[in-house]
Amino acid sequence: MISHFLKKIAKFSPVRSTLFFFYGRAASKMSKELAAYIAPGNHVLDLGCGTGIIAGTVAKTLNASLVGTDVIDIRQVDIPFVLYDGEKIPFPDKSFDIVLISYVLHHVEKVEILLQEARRVCRGRIIIYEDTPQNLFHRASCFFHGFSYGSLFGIKKKCAFHTREEWLSLFQKLQLSLMHTQKIKFFNPVHITARNLFVLSPDVS
Ligand SMILES: C[S@@+](CC[C@H](N)C(=O)[O-])C[C@H]1O[C@@H](n2cnc3c(N)ncnc32)[C@H](O)[C@@H]1O
């Protein structure tokens, strides 16, 4: 029902233009960062694809074959999509060269289970973008972001934001090998925080 409402307001032209302007900007920047990891023809899963704007741009720019999955369908771009329950990723083992998880994990209730699932369906790299608050100001911004997301989507579960170091120790605990990490410079005027990219190998080290 919420996704139906979101789809309706997104049809309203100024909302749609704003959405495409902000997500489009993020998507082009992300495509450049991902070019080092996604080769033409790679099979990519966008886990928690949301509007699909990022997925659509990445697929087009990097010539990848991409499918999105999410717990709700709020696509604004016609990408191949499978709705799922948020826990059991509906694909066989090692189906994807890349599993992209972009600004999703802080919304997820059972993060460890989802990361294990991402590992199961991945034969190449798991690529994660996350908000990684570093100070009180970032924490306040993350709190507001989580609160507005929860209100908009009618979700009671509070978002769980972690620092870069906390994510690194979780990946280590799950024996996901860290291949690369970098700070992401991206100015979002309505959500100011630090952000990180993590590139993981699903193989047990
Ligand atoms: C901030 S949006 C990010 C959307 C998109 N990845 C992007 O970067 O534009 C967070 C998304 O995570 C999705 N989500 C929440 N819990 C999830 C879960 N357990 N598995 C997959 N997606 C989930 C939400 O439905 C939402 O579309």
Side-chain angles (χ1 to χ4, degrees), residues 70-177:
D70 203 311
V71 294
I72 47 170
D73 182 3
I74 50 167
R75 278 172 302 156
Q76 299 301 308
V77 174
D78 189 18
I79 54 161
F81 176 81
V82 182
L83 193 67
Y84 90 115
D85 65 7
E87 286 188 24
K88 173 88 180 143
I89 300 176
F91 292 98
D93 296 1
K94 298 193 186 299
S95 300
F96 298 97
D97 300 298
I98 303 288
V99 177
L100 174 64
I101 314 177
S102 154
Y103 301 108
V104 169
L105 290 181
H106 53 264
H107 295 288
V108 172
E109 187 131 26
K110 297 174 183 167
V111 179
E112 294 195 18
I113 291 178
L114 195 66
L115 283 172
Q116 299 283 20
E117 272 291 282
R119 157 187 277 150
R120 181 183 64 75
V121 298
C122 183
R123 56 179 177 245
R125 296 284 180 264
I126 299 170
I127 301 183
I128 296 171
Y129 283 84
E130 255 309 313
D131 296 333
T132 48
Q134 279 180 328
N135 55 42
L136 265 182
F137 182 77
H138 292 166
R139 288 238 164 246
S141 178
C142 286
F143 174 81
F144 181 72
H145 170 75
F147 176 76
S148 36
Y149 179 90
S151 314
L152 189 63
F153 288 81
I155 293 170
K156 291 208 176 76
K157 188 235 160 218
K158 275 207 315 206
C159 286
F161 293 94
H162 301 293
T163 62
R164 178 180 179 277
E165 290 67 33
E166 285 166 343
W167 283 115
L168 291 177
S169 73
L170 178 64
F171 302 147
Q172 201 169 27
K173 178 180 163 198
L174 298 177
Q175 293 186 290
L176 286 161
S177 315

Side-chain angles (χ1 to χ4, degrees), residues 1-20:
M1 191 171 128
I2 294 284
S3 57
H4 183 67
F5 170 70
L6 285 172
K7 280 202 153 177
K8 259 196 154 163
I9 57 163
K11 280 197 181 134
F12 181 52
S13 164
V15 174
R16 194 171 171 78
S17 313
T18 311
L19 202 67
F20 273 82

